[in-house]
Amino acid sequence: MVKRCSDSLDETMGRIKEKMAVSALGHFDETGTRVDKKLWWVHDASNCEYTYLDISPKHGHLDL
């Protein structure tokens, strides 16, 4: 069920990612969270219209 939901959002997430990559103005941030007792990073890229969130075990890296 989670996979099916994730797959249904692929196109929308791709569009938001594209919009953020070419945006003239953006805010970028990250915060730590725990996944299976290990530290992972939630990366945020946003402007007044869009917000793109990604999670990664790597600190300081957002792939736009």
Side-chain angles (χ1 to χ4, degrees):
M1 185 164 135
V2 172
K3 173 85 168 107
R4 189 173 64 229
C5 181
S6 172
D7 289 346
S8 73
L9 293 172
D10 279 346
E11 187 177 330
T12 300
M13 292 298 293
R15 283 190 206 145
I16 292 170
K17 190 174 175 179
E18 267 180 37
K19 295 286 186 180
M20 285 308 305
V22 299
S23 179
L25 180 64
H27 171 78
F28 301 88
D29 200 5
E30 62 190 5
T31 188
T33 190
R34 296 279 173 189
V35 176
D36 291 330
K37 299 182 182 178
K38 295 179 183 174
L39 182 61
W40 278 52
W41 298 93
V42 178
H43 303 279
D44 169 341
S46 62
N47 62 20
C48 62
E49 296 181 69
Y50 300 98
T51 299
Y52 180 80
L53 296 171
D54 195 15
I55 188 167
S56 169
K58 295 182 180 179
H59 182 259
H61 180 75
L62 177 62
D63 183 27
L64 283 182

